[in-house]
């Protein structure tokens, strides 16, 4: 029998829309019957190669593999691995290929997981590369949208905050465009708008409308999904500028008083101060549920990339 | 009037945009070779007004993608027995690998020798290329 080529997830576009839909369905099955998958990856090992700090993504992957009955090894800080001795990514992944069955990599350099995939004998998952892509956050977001809105396509989605450097936004908006969403509302200060190269690509490839506004209130009444992101202090020249934007993009109950009753508020987390704690009590706030769903979609992804046939 | 004799066997790079000849001459390291090479600058041209021309009295390997990137107006003539036996109009390459570096300082190609930057053309007019690793746009400036 011919050996199947190794599949990686570097970019959401590595998966077709049909494959994305199948992953979402599988994740929903796991949500409903997690015990049936408890031994699906027994004897398999996930390597977590985190060259920069991460709490949620790493724990979420580890939790996913442990819940599938597999094991986990890896590092959460490049300073304590051979990388600190100057080992190349290619050598690291070739070695790890001998120790594990699948790997997830986070790296500050954009394109690093793609480079790893070119030398790897096992599936490589991009766990976030610089400001470029974060495909498993995209999968998490898709599952969240499907779960709470029952459809991915028929929504007006607004992205708010740092749209320039926010990799979660870049990955998600491209994928939603593939799903055929025709209108996106982009809420950000002028300094943090979506990169021109991405806007150009979206406009050239898809038939869609990108509406840019400066405040949440301008668009809140037509939004079905409000996707908040963190505005990072280090992006600004001085504290005064940061303070100005920080408050303008702080979501509180006052700002969503005219929003739809079935709007949902998403956030990739961690939240710092862009969503007031009072919003947590609002039934439209789904960001903690979103984090929980992230484990299940990663379980589905691990099963798919490992080619685990589950009779569950 | 200055006369440059025809070459018997070799390569003529014609229709180089005036001003690009010396850059291409240097990039091809033609100052290091031991056969005859002619660099003609600001030669009158009916189609271009003025142009540069390089005549190389030998057959050498030239990366046509690289040459097309430097100046896609070039016509490359292969000369044998004093006659043009092959004429080729260069074009802007759709894909390039290892010829330009990514302008994104966060791109892995700028910090790891294993990652050789490969690019795909996104705008022929502006000579803009998208990096295959980080997807940022780099504008090539000859």
């Amino acid at each position: 029998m011919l050996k199947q080529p190794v599949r990686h997830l570097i970019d959401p576009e590595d998966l077709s829309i049909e494959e994305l839909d199948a992953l979402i369905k599988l994740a929903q099955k796991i949500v409903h019957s997690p015990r049936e998958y408890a031994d699906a990856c027994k004897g398999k090992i996930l390597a977590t190669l985190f060259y920069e700090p991460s709490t949620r993504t790493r724990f979420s992957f580890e939790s996913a593999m442990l819940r599938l009955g597999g094991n986990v090894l890896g590092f959460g800080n490049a300073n304590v691995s051979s990388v600190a001795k100057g080992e190349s990514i290619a050598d690291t992944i070739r070695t790890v290929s001998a120790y594990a069955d699948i790997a997830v990599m986070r790296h500050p350099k954009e394109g690093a997981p793609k480079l790893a995939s070119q030398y790897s004998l096992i599936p490589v998952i991009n766990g976030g590369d610089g400001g470029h892509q974060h495909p498993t956050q995209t999968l998490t977001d898709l599952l969240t949208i499907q779960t709470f809105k029952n459809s991915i396509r028929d929504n007006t989605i607004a992205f708010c905050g740092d749209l320039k450097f926010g990799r979660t936004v870049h990955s998600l908006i491209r994928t939603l465009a593939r799903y055929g969403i025709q209108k996106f509302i982009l809420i950000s200060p002028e300094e943090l708008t979506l990169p021109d190269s991405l806007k150009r690509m979206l406009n050239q490839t898809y038939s869609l409308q990108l509406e840019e506004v400066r405040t949440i209130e301008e668009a809140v009444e037509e939004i079905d999904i409000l996707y908040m992101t963190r505005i990072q202090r280090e992006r600004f020249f001085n504290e005064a500028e940061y303070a100005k934007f920080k408050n303008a993009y702080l979501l509180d109950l006052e700002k969503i008083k005219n929003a739809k009753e079935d709007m949902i508020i998403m956030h990739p987390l961690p939240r710092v101060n862009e969503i007031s704690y009072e919003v947590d009590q609002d039934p439209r706030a789904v960001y903690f549920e979103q984090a929980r769903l992230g484990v299940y979609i990663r379980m589905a992804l691990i099963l798919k990339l490992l080619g685990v046939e589950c009779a569950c | 009037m200055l006369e440059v004799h025809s070459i018997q066997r070799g390569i003529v790079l014609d229709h180089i945009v005036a001003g690009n000849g010396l850059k291409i001459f240097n990039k091809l390291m033609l100052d290091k070779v031991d056969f005859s090479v002619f660099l003609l600058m600001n030669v009158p041209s009916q189609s271009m007004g003025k142009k540069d021309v390089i005549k190389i009295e030998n057959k050498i390997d030239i990366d046509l993608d690289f040459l097309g990137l430097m100046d896609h107006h070039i016509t490359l003539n292969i000369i044998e027995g004093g006659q043009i036996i092959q004429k080729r109009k260069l074009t802007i390459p759709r894909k390039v690998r290892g010829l330009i570096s990514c302008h994104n300082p966060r791109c892995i190609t700028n910090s790891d020798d294993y990652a050789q930057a490969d690019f795909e053309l996104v705008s022929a007019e502006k000579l803009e290329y998208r990096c295959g690793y980080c997807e940022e746009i780099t504008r090539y400036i000859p």
Side-chain angles (χ1 to χ4, degrees), chain A residues 172-191:
Chain A
L172 182 57
I173 199 166
R174 287 168 56 161
T175 306
L176 291 174
R178 286 168 65 207
Y179 266 95
I181 287 192
Q182 293 183 335
K183 183 175 180 181
F184 296 95
I185 299 170
L186 308 171
I187 309 167
S188 72
E190 207 171 337
E191 292 81 349

Short mmCIF file of all heavy atoms in Angstrom, two decimals, chain A residues 172-191:
data_model
loop_
_atom_site.label_atom_id
_atom_site.label_comp_id
_atom_site.label_asym_id
_atom_site.label_seq_id
_atom_site.Cartn_x
_atom_site.Cartn_y
_atom_site.Cartn_z
N LEU A 172 -8.10 34.69 10.07
CA LEU A 172 -9.55 34.48 10.06
C LEU A 172 -10.23 35.18 8.89
O LEU A 172 -11.10 34.63 8.23
CB LEU A 172 -10.16 34.93 11.39
CG LEU A 172 -11.67 34.73 11.53
CD1 LEU A 172 -12.08 33.28 11.33
CD2 LEU A 172 -12.16 35.22 12.90
N ILE A 173 -9.81 36.40 8.63
CA ILE A 173 -10.48 37.17 7.58
C ILE A 173 -10.28 36.52 6.21
O ILE A 173 -11.20 36.47 5.39
CB ILE A 173 -10.01 38.65 7.61
CG1 ILE A 173 -11.00 39.55 6.88
CG2 ILE A 173 -8.64 38.84 7.02
CD1 ILE A 173 -10.80 41.03 7.16
N ARG A 174 -9.11 35.95 6.00
CA ARG A 174 -8.85 35.27 4.73
C ARG A 174 -9.72 34.03 4.60
O ARG A 174 -10.24 33.71 3.52
CB ARG A 174 -7.37 34.90 4.62
CG ARG A 174 -6.51 36.11 4.37
CD ARG A 174 -5.05 35.82 4.56
NE ARG A 174 -4.56 34.74 3.74
CZ ARG A 174 -3.27 34.56 3.46
NH1 ARG A 174 -2.37 35.38 3.93
NH2 ARG A 174 -2.89 33.56 2.72
N THR A 175 -9.88 33.33 5.70
CA THR A 175 -10.67 32.11 5.65
C THR A 175 -12.15 32.43 5.48
O THR A 175 -12.86 31.77 4.70
CB THR A 175 -10.43 31.28 6.92
OG1 THR A 175 -9.03 31.07 7.06
CG2 THR A 175 -11.13 29.93 6.84
N LEU A 176 -12.62 33.44 6.18
CA LEU A 176 -14.04 33.82 6.04
C LEU A 176 -14.33 34.31 4.62
O LEU A 176 -15.42 34.08 4.08
CB LEU A 176 -14.40 34.89 7.07
CG LEU A 176 -14.40 34.40 8.52
CD1 LEU A 176 -14.64 35.57 9.48
CD2 LEU A 176 -15.47 33.33 8.75
N ALA A 177 -13.34 34.96 4.02
CA ALA A 177 -13.51 35.39 2.62
C ALA A 177 -13.68 34.16 1.73
O ALA A 177 -14.50 34.16 0.80
CB ALA A 177 -12.31 36.21 2.18
N ARG A 178 -12.94 33.09 2.02
CA ARG A 178 -13.09 31.85 1.24
C ARG A 178 -14.48 31.27 1.43
O ARG A 178 -15.02 30.61 0.53
CB ARG A 178 -12.05 30.83 1.67
CG ARG A 178 -10.63 31.14 1.18
CD ARG A 178 -9.62 30.27 1.88
NE ARG A 178 -9.76 28.87 1.57
CZ ARG A 178 -9.39 27.86 2.37
NH1 ARG A 178 -8.85 28.12 3.54
NH2 ARG A 178 -9.54 26.62 2.01
N TYR A 179 -15.05 31.46 2.60
CA TYR A 179 -16.40 30.95 2.86
C TYR A 179 -17.46 31.78 2.13
O TYR A 179 -18.62 31.43 2.11
CB TYR A 179 -16.70 30.97 4.36
CG TYR A 179 -16.39 29.64 5.04
CD1 TYR A 179 -15.18 29.42 5.66
CD2 TYR A 179 -17.33 28.61 5.06
CE1 TYR A 179 -14.89 28.21 6.29
CE2 TYR A 179 -17.08 27.40 5.68
CZ TYR A 179 -15.86 27.20 6.29
OH TYR A 179 -15.59 26.00 6.89
N GLY A 180 -17.04 32.91 1.59
CA GLY A 180 -17.98 33.72 0.83
C GLY A 180 -18.60 34.87 1.59
O GLY A 180 -19.56 35.49 1.10
N ILE A 181 -18.10 35.17 2.77
CA ILE A 181 -18.60 36.34 3.48
C ILE A 181 -18.24 37.58 2.67
O ILE A 181 -17.11 37.73 2.22
CB ILE A 181 -18.04 36.40 4.92
CG1 ILE A 181 -18.71 35.31 5.76
CG2 ILE A 181 -18.25 37.79 5.53
CD1 ILE A 181 -18.50 35.40 7.24
N GLN A 182 -19.23 38.43 2.45
CA GLN A 182 -19.03 39.51 1.49
C GLN A 182 -18.78 40.87 2.12
O GLN A 182 -18.42 41.82 1.44
CB GLN A 182 -20.24 39.60 0.57
CG GLN A 182 -20.32 38.35 -0.31
CD GLN A 182 -21.44 38.41 -1.29
OE1 GLN A 182 -22.42 39.10 -1.07
NE2 GLN A 182 -21.31 37.66 -2.37
N LYS A 183 -18.98 40.96 3.44
CA LYS A 183 -18.76 42.28 4.04
C LYS A 183 -18.04 42.14 5.37
O LYS A 183 -18.44 41.34 6.23
CB LYS A 183 -20.09 42.99 4.26
CG LYS A 183 -19.90 44.39 4.81
CD LYS A 183 -21.21 45.16 4.92
CE LYS A 183 -20.96 46.54 5.48
NZ LYS A 183 -22.20 47.29 5.63
N PHE A 184 -16.99 42.91 5.52
CA PHE A 184 -16.25 42.95 6.78
C PHE A 184 -16.20 44.40 7.25
O PHE A 184 -15.96 45.31 6.45
CB PHE A 184 -14.82 42.44 6.60
CG PHE A 184 -14.74 40.99 6.21
CD1 PHE A 184 -14.63 40.61 4.87
CD2 PHE A 184 -14.80 39.99 7.17
CE1 PHE A 184 -14.57 39.28 4.50
CE2 PHE A 184 -14.74 38.65 6.81
CZ PHE A 184 -14.62 38.29 5.48
N ILE A 185 -16.41 44.57 8.54
CA ILE A 185 -16.28 45.91 9.12
C ILE A 185 -14.98 45.92 9.91
O ILE A 185 -14.75 45.05 10.76
CB ILE A 185 -17.49 46.24 10.01
CG1 ILE A 185 -18.77 46.21 9.17
CG2 ILE A 185 -17.31 47.60 10.68
CD1 ILE A 185 -20.05 46.29 9.98
N LEU A 186 -14.12 46.88 9.61
CA LEU A 186 -12.79 46.94 10.22
C LEU A 186 -12.73 48.17 11.13
O LEU A 186 -12.78 49.31 10.66
CB LEU A 186 -11.72 47.02 9.14
CG LEU A 186 -11.81 45.92 8.06
CD1 LEU A 186 -10.84 46.20 6.92
CD2 LEU A 186 -11.54 44.54 8.67
N ILE A 187 -12.66 47.91 12.43
CA ILE A 187 -12.69 49.02 13.41
C ILE A 187 -11.31 49.14 14.04
O ILE A 187 -10.88 48.26 14.80
CB ILE A 187 -13.74 48.76 14.50
CG1 ILE A 187 -15.10 48.38 13.87
CG2 ILE A 187 -13.87 49.96 15.43
CD1 ILE A 187 -16.10 47.79 14.87
N SER A 188 -10.61 50.23 13.73
CA SER A 188 -9.26 50.38 14.29
C SER A 188 -8.82 51.83 14.17
O SER A 188 -9.36 52.58 13.34
CB SER A 188 -8.26 49.50 13.53
OG SER A 188 -8.02 50.04 12.26
N PRO A 189 -7.82 52.22 14.97
CA PRO A 189 -7.21 53.53 14.70
C PRO A 189 -6.48 53.49 13.37
O PRO A 189 -6.13 52.40 12.88
CB PRO A 189 -6.23 53.70 15.88
CG PRO A 189 -5.99 52.34 16.42
CD PRO A 189 -7.21 51.54 16.12
N GLU A 190 -6.27 54.66 12.79
CA GLU A 190 -5.64 54.72 11.48
C GLU A 190 -4.27 54.05 11.47
O GLU A 190 -3.84 53.48 10.47
CB GLU A 190 -5.50 56.19 11.06
CG GLU A 190 -5.50 56.38 9.58
CD GLU A 190 -5.59 57.84 9.20
OE1 GLU A 190 -6.09 58.65 10.02
OE2 GLU A 190 -5.14 58.17 8.09
N GLU A 191 -3.60 54.12 12.60
CA GLU A 191 -2.24 53.57 12.71
C GLU A 191 -2.23 52.04 12.71
O GLU A 191 -1.19 51.43 12.52
CB GLU A 191 -1.57 54.05 14.01
CG GLU A 191 -1.24 55.53 14.05
CD GLU A 191 -2.44 56.41 14.42
OE1 GLU A 191 -3.58 55.90 14.46
OE2 GLU A 191 -2.24 57.60 14.66
#
